[in-house]
Amino acid sequence: MIARLPQRLPAPPAQLLRWVLVAAFFLLWAVIQTWPLVLHAGNSLSYWPVRPEDSWMNLWNLWWVKHALFSFSNPFHTDLLFYPQGADLYLHTLNTVDAVLSIPLQLLTGNIILSWNILGLLLFAASGVATYALAYRFTKNDAASLIAGFIFAFAPFVVMRFHGHWNIATVWPLPVFALFLFRFQERGRWWDAAAAGAAWAIIAYTNLEYAVDAGMFLGLFLLYWSLVYARAREWPRLLPLWRVVPIAVAALFVVGGPLLVPALISIRRNEVSMPVASESMSSDLGALFTPSPLWGPGKVPTWDLGSLQHFPTGDIENTVYLGITPLLLAAVALAQVRRLSHVQVFWAAVLLFFVSLAMGPHLYLGDNKDFSLLGLHFTVPMPYQLYEKIPLIKERRGIARLIVFGYLALSILAAMGAAAILSWLRGHYLKLVPLAAVLLFAFVAVEYWNPPQVTARLETPAALVAISREAGDFAVLDAPLGRSTWTLGGTQAGAIMADYYQRIYQKPSLGGYISRAPNETLFWVDTPPGIKYLACPALCPARPDADDLNAALVQETFLKYRIKYVALHYVTPHGWLVGGEELKRLDGYIRTVLGFREVYADSAFTLFADPDFPAPDSVAAP
């Protein structure tokens, strides 16, 4: 039986204090779960040593959205990466909501790394508070709702993504969306449906894949409650329920239209390469019961298929541990056969639906989908095979990421189970209730324990900051040059470093790393004389060719594209070696063929400048 508190609400000051304490509780746990990040918040990020570029891209996202809004530009198109073509960002993981929320912090601190770290902690707390509010709606039990908030906010899947996939780790809008749907179901007020639609739009601005998942959640919500009302012949409740669709969809497009409409048009016109998610990025049945690699003393997660056909359990893409305690609490909630409510069945259906989709087209167990029984060899097809046939929504990157609404369902079911246990104890062993609540929370916290996190100190080179203060319209080339999405033009190291350094020098960069771009834009770096050699100095045996060695032609090309500086990088911002002997050859090429002069050098990079670059406003645009 689920414990319920008296219906009379506490006085407003008491309500406010309660929410402040709940927020403080989750903020404290955010500090604990990301420890020791708070000690280095001004200059370090939580990151994956095997894949640091996603953190650098997200730093660029925060900087770019602020820059675009303050210059009254469209934040969904940039000319500062992939110069001179630029790139649309409608299908890029721009994470617009986090970027906008970071602007006050950027203005206040003047430190984008500190701004993100503060915001990241606040987002964890927001996820906990929102899930607490959703769970409390069903349980009216504070302790059980705190457990739910902890499960969703600090799920191993979420904390893993905090190291690089910030848009995927930003999950607070999901319980807000669900909360307003249930408010509309109960009260039938149009503004609750509109609020659900607005939350849906916020989800879209954060992560388009989650917006698709929210649409499926809404579909499950309508289907399930329609069946409940139809079976009970509660027609006065059934018809008004469907009013949520036009109201929520209208609010979704009113608030999210500036992103959604161009994104849908771009997909429809095949303007960018949209590879369908690979089965390699699906989950594994065993992964649901395998603790995160960050658990306990922790180890560095992997992101490498190697010779495998499936990302292994414990990989960044396959960390989906549900937890034994949360599953047992959910089982308690569902074991009350005689008192099983429609709400419990609904959340169980949500859990099953999204977990089964996250398994991908075939069931994997032990990173293997081929099974044998009594001499028969077979695979087990999964519902995702139907999902991947649906236009538009099949265009997603990681299949295992479908599990996020499953985590939300698990957190609510676990809260119901915890509330049932505490309610029973209250009637039989009242004095044990506080201890039981603490123990239940402790069991979950131990299973979801994440510290210490891996952090990396990031530097801001003064020589590049000085470029940002220079007048004039010119570009910077980070060498080796690269442009990257799913597809690569040039050198990967150059692509990812362009994101990190462009926000520092703040001038157009020929390189960049974004989520989606037309292939012709990526491969443009293989065409212009000189530029194509800087893009492929090691793996293209025919380079430099005759055009690359024609000093007059190359210098004319660099002047055409207003390239004033070339930064030749030896190590990435987190210390990886960029190359070997080919970098020495590039150094000589830049000095002799380009005729650029060294203006700064250290162990990380050498900065070259064109000594004959025209004065500001004297160079025609390309």
Side-chain angles (χ1 to χ4, degrees):
M1 180 178 182
I2 296 176
R4 294 189 174 275
L5 297 182
Q7 294 300 312
R8 181 171 170 268
L9 293 176
Q15 281 195 46
L16 178 60
L17 177 61
R18 169 188 165 212
W19 289 107
V20 168
L21 291 175
V22 169
F25 173 84
F26 286 115
L27 186 58
L28 174 61
W29 271 103
V31 172
I32 294 172
Q33 290 286 68
T34 58
W35 189 266
L37 180 61
V38 71
L39 301 180
H40 316 287
N43 55 31
S44 300
L45 294 175
S46 293
Y47 85 122
W48 302 307
V50 295
R51 221 177 134 71
E53 60 266 29
D54 289 320
S55 294
W56 306 340
M57 182 210 303
N58 278 292
L59 279 179
W60 184 85
N61 288 342
L62 302 187
W63 174 83
W64 163 249
V65 171
K66 173 178 173 287
H67 174 84
L69 294 179
F70 277 54
S71 59
F72 301 101
S73 303
N74 177 8
F76 297 107
H77 179 85
T78 184
D79 294 318
L80 297 184
L81 294 178
F82 289 19
Y83 173 83
Q85 294 89 354
D88 285 337
L89 302 176
Y90 297 105
L91 296 171
H92 169 59
T93 53
L94 189 59
N95 199 0
T96 317
V97 174
D98 286 359
V100 170
L101 292 175
S102 77
I103 290 176
L105 292 168
Q106 292 188 56
L107 295 175
L108 182 64
T109 66
N111 183 330
I112 194 169
I113 293 175
L114 177 61
S115 298
W116 165 250
N117 285 327
I118 293 173
L119 180 61
L121 297 178
L122 292 174
L123 293 175
F124 275 124
S127 298
V129 171
T131 310
Y132 166 91
L134 180 62
Y136 191 83
R137 186 169 194 83
F138 304 119
T139 67
K140 298 297 185 290
N141 186 297
D142 289 295
S145 300
L146 289 173
I147 291 173
F150 186 91
I151 290 172
F152 188 63
F154 302 109
F157 170 86
V158 174
V159 178
M160 175 64 79
R161 302 299 178 150
F162 179 71
H163 291 67
H165 293 159
W166 298 352
N167 61 314
I168 299 176
T170 301
V171 295
W172 64 266
L174 277 60
V176 173
F177 174 69
L179 177 62
F180 279 112
L181 286 180
F182 279 100
R183 284 168 58 100
F184 175 79
Q185 178 197 26
E186 179 182 328
R187 303 176 184 179
R189 300 182 305 192
W190 69 266
W191 54 85
D192 284 322
W200 196 358
I202 291 172
I203 294 172
Y205 279 118
T206 301
N207 185 346
L208 282 170
E209 290 184 354
Y210 283 175
V212 172
D213 301 344
M216 291 191 290
F217 179 86
L218 175 59
L220 279 175
F221 179 86
L222 291 171
L223 175 62
Y224 179 80
W225 291 106
S226 294
L227 291 174
V228 168
Y229 294 154
R231 185 183 180 192
R233 300 185 181 277
E234 296 185 52
W235 311 118
R237 299 188 68 181
L238 175 59
L239 297 179
L241 178 70
W242 282 82
R243 287 195 302 127
V244 72
V245 175
I247 298 172
V249 170
L252 167 66
F253 278 92
V254 167
V255 178
L259 168 63
L260 293 172
V261 173
L264 291 171
I265 292 173
S266 182
I267 295 173
R268 177 69 176 174
R269 294 177 177 175
N270 294 317
E271 293 177 344
V272 298
S273 176
M274 294 286 289
V276 177
S278 167
E279 185 173 354
S280 66
M281 299 177 76
S282 64
S283 192
D284 181 292
L285 185 62
L288 302 176
F289 308 98
T290 303
S292 166
L294 304 178
W295 182 82
K299 62 181 180 180
V300 175
T302 60
W303 199 88
D304 185 13
L305 275 174
S307 61
L308 303 176
Q309 297 181 345
H310 190 262
F311 281 105
T313 296
D315 186 275
I316 291 168
E317 286 293 342
N318 203 0
T319 295
V320 291
Y321 180 55
L322 298 178
I324 303 304
T325 304
L327 286 171
L328 289 175
L329 290 174
V332 171
L334 296 173
Q336 305 171 84
V337 178
R338 294 182 180 180
R339 299 172 183 174
L340 200 60
S341 71
H342 291 304
V343 172
Q344 290 157 296
V345 176
F346 168 74
W347 285 112
V350 172
L351 175 60
L352 181 62
F353 178 82
F354 283 99
V355 168
S356 64
L357 282 181
M359 294 295 105
H362 298 94
L363 180 68
Y364 277 78
L365 180 61
D367 303 313
N368 177 53
K369 68 175 180 178
D370 299 308
F371 304 99
S372 297
L373 181 65
L374 301 177
L376 297 176
H377 302 280
F378 60 94
T379 60
V380 180
M382 297 297 289
Y384 188 85
Q385 293 190 16
L386 298 176
Y387 175 94
E388 64 183 352
K389 298 182 185 302
I390 304 174
L392 291 181
I393 70 170
K394 70 179 181 180
E395 312 285 0
R396 67 185 306 130
R397 287 209 164 180
I399 298 173
R401 303 172 191 180
L402 278 156
I403 203 168
V404 66
F405 268 99
Y407 271 110
L408 181 61
L410 176 63
S411 69
I412 302 303
L413 287 171
M416 293 176 177
I421 292 172
L422 296 177
S423 176
W424 182 86
L425 286 173
R426 187 172 291 111
H428 296 79
Y429 306 99
L430 181 60
K431 293 182 179 180
L432 293 180
V433 171
L435 177 61
V438 171
L439 287 176
L440 289 175
F441 180 85
F443 290 148
V444 174
V446 168
E447 288 199 73
Y448 280 17
W449 188 257
N450 284 290
Q453 291 205 359
V454 179
T455 62
R457 182 184 177 93
L458 297 172
E459 303 295 339
T460 303
L464 300 184
V465 174
I467 293 176
S468 71
R469 298 173 181 149
E470 287 190 35
D473 188 9
F474 58 87
V476 178
L477 189 154
D478 292 285
L481 173 64
R483 294 179 174 182
S484 179
T485 58
W486 274 64
T487 310
L488 176 64
T491 305
Q492 179 69 11
I496 62 181
M497 287 189 295
D499 276 21
Y500 181 80
Y501 289 115
Q502 192 282 323
R503 66 174 178 82
I504 298 175
Y505 55 70
Q506 300 184 16
K507 303 296 182 181
S509 171
L510 277 74
Y513 168 51
I514 63 175
S515 300
R516 307 284 191 189
N519 284 341
E520 57 268 24
T521 300
L522 296 174
F523 299 141
W524 173 85
V525 297
D526 293 323
T527 303
I531 290 175
K532 69 177 187 286
Y533 175 49
L534 294 179
C536 191
L539 301 179
C540 301
R543 299 180 192 173
D545 61 16
D547 285 345
D548 297 322
L549 296 173
N550 185 328
L553 180 60
V554 171
Q555 290 170 17
E556 179 185 344
T557 300
F558 273 61
L559 179 60
K560 174 183 178 181
Y561 294 113
R562 306 200 303 270
I563 303 171
K564 183 177 180 180
Y565 290 98
V566 174
L568 177 59
H569 298 279
Y570 310 119
V571 296
T572 63
H574 79 303
W576 275 358
L577 291 176
V578 172
E581 289 297 318
E582 73 274 15
L583 299 183
K584 295 180 180 179
R585 294 193 292 270
L586 283 185
D587 183 284
Y589 180 83
I590 294 167
R591 295 175 191 270
T592 57
V593 177
L594 285 182
F596 278 36
R597 182 179 304 161
E598 178 185 316
V599 294
Y600 175 84
D602 62 21
S603 60
F605 69 97
T606 297
L607 184 64
F608 298 91
D610 182 354
D612 302 317
F613 193 82
D617 304 324
S618 64
V619 183

